[in-house]
Amino acid sequence: MNKPLVGACFAVLFLGATAAPAAAVSSERPAKPKAVDFAGTVALSNCSGSVVRVPDSKPEDPALVLSNGHCLESGFPAPGEVVVDQPSSRSFTLLKADGSDAGTVKASKVAYGTMTDTDVSLYELTSTYSDIESKYGIKALELNAARPEQGRKITVASGYWKKLYKCSIDGFAYRLKEGNWTWKDSVRYTPECQTIGGTSGSPVIDDETGKVVAVNNTGNEDGQECTDNNPCEVDENGKVTVRKGINYAQQTYTIVPCVAPGNKIDLSREGCELPK
């Protein structure tokens, strides 16, 4: 996984943007999807992120911010470590569609965080979705409940850098190994998404649906094999492949079954396979 930005230090991390789902124009022809922009993305002190919801989230639920596990203020979780319900007062700069600052939202806790099997963090905010929409006019991005598909056009939009990266899903890595960490079924980008340090934690948006399908987290910088900042792909037979300059993200559909009513993370829910 690539390190978050600290001062002037750079490492390859990813980003994501926000878009509203397309609305139907008629019963015969769907509307053209709205172009992905920055609305709902956030900037952390060292990474990117976004305000997200699951399909069953309610307006009165406390909002969630999605980022990477390696972006946690407490540092990188160790292999096998899972952070649940850890108090946090972290602040996030919320962005408007054009990338300008809308305001600041604040966490009450880290609801979930890990770098095992995936690289994800979910912060619970002190604000509800209704609070954010009424105050800033910004809606949360929705996590897609289905696994993303190869070939789909995507946008990685960084709240940190206020920059959009556009490419497609090139495929999936059965296992992605970097240093001491291993991630499962990682999304591999086509080469156009040349993300940079500070884009870690950004949502990966499906251009057609406007929904979040993954969260950016790493890329192979120097062509090294399975070292820090140089992840390698490992297939079902143990074959290792190194793709210098190629970047990756972690799928987010696996989060959806783990979110109970009230937007509470419940790792014991049926269908929840996030590390416990």
Side-chain angles (χ1 to χ4, degrees):
M1 123 265 49
N2 300 128
K3 301 168 188 172
L5 256 181
V6 179
C9 260
F10 287 76
V12 180
L13 311 171
F14 301 86
L15 71 147
T18 88
V25 199
S26 72
S27 58
E28 296 181 1
R29 195 169 81 183
K32 182 179 179 180
K34 176 186 173 184
V36 173
D37 54 36
F38 294 101
T41 60
V42 301
L44 286 67
S45 57
N46 58 352
C47 288
S48 299
S50 58
V51 179
V52 297
R53 63 185 297 275
V54 298
D56 292 335
S57 294
K58 307 298 183 188
E60 64 272 16
D61 289 340
L64 297 173
V65 161
L66 169 72
S67 190
N68 284 146
H70 78 259
C71 292
L72 290 170
E73 64 267 44
S74 55
F76 297 174
E81 181 181 359
V82 174
V83 177
V84 178
D85 291 339
Q86 176 179 290
S88 174
S89 57
R90 195 168 194 179
S91 295
F92 310 90
T93 302
L94 181 67
L95 302 187
K96 298 178 183 178
D98 62 1
S100 61
D101 294 356
T104 301
V105 291
K106 191 173 181 179
S108 61
K109 66 179 180 181
V110 177
Y112 184 82
T114 193
M115 288 177 63
T116 299
D117 294 350
T118 185
D119 184 5
V120 66
S121 61
L122 288 166
Y123 287 85
E124 182 177 300
L125 301 185
T126 57
S127 306
T128 65
Y129 295 116
S130 180
D131 292 336
I132 293 172
E133 187 169 357
S134 61
K135 186 172 183 178
Y136 303 112
I138 293 173
K139 294 183 178 181
L141 298 175
E142 184 175 329
L143 297 182
N144 198 332
R147 185 177 184 273
E149 301 172 6
Q150 185 175 6
R152 299 285 288 196
K153 292 183 178 181
I154 53 175
T155 299
V156 184
S158 171
Y160 187 95
W161 288 115
K162 301 180 180 180
K163 182 175 180 178
L164 304 176
Y165 297 76
K166 292 185 172 293
C167 58
S168 299
I169 295 177
D170 183 54
F172 304 91
Y174 175 72
R175 296 290 184 268
L176 191 66
K177 181 173 175 55
E178 182 173 340
N180 295 324
W181 291 274
T182 300
W183 304 303
K184 297 179 178 179
D185 201 19
S186 303
V187 172
R188 180 176 63 247
Y189 298 151
T190 53
E192 296 80 24
C193 280
Q194 289 294 307
T195 49
I196 62 174
T199 62
S200 278
S202 301
V204 179
I205 310 298
D206 183 298
D207 287 353
E208 184 174 335
T209 66
K211 294 181 180 181
V212 177
V213 296
V215 58
N216 298 325
N217 81 309
T218 196
N220 188 295
E221 296 181 13
D222 307 311
Q224 297 178 19
E225 183 177 304
C226 312
T227 63
D228 289 348
N229 303 317
N230 291 284
C232 62
E233 298 184 23
V234 184
D235 69 13
E236 295 90 333
N237 300 314
K239 180 184 176 182
V240 174
T241 301
V242 173
R243 302 178 191 268
K244 182 180 178 180
I246 295 299
N247 299 311
Y248 300 88
Q250 302 306 307
Q251 300 187 43
T252 50
Y253 77 98
T254 54
I255 295 171
V256 176
C258 305
V259 182
N263 256 12
K264 302 302 179 184
I265 304 301
D266 182 356
L267 302 178
S268 65
R269 291 193 90 206
E270 183 178 354
C272 178
E273 296 182 356
L274 287 177
K276 300 171 175 59

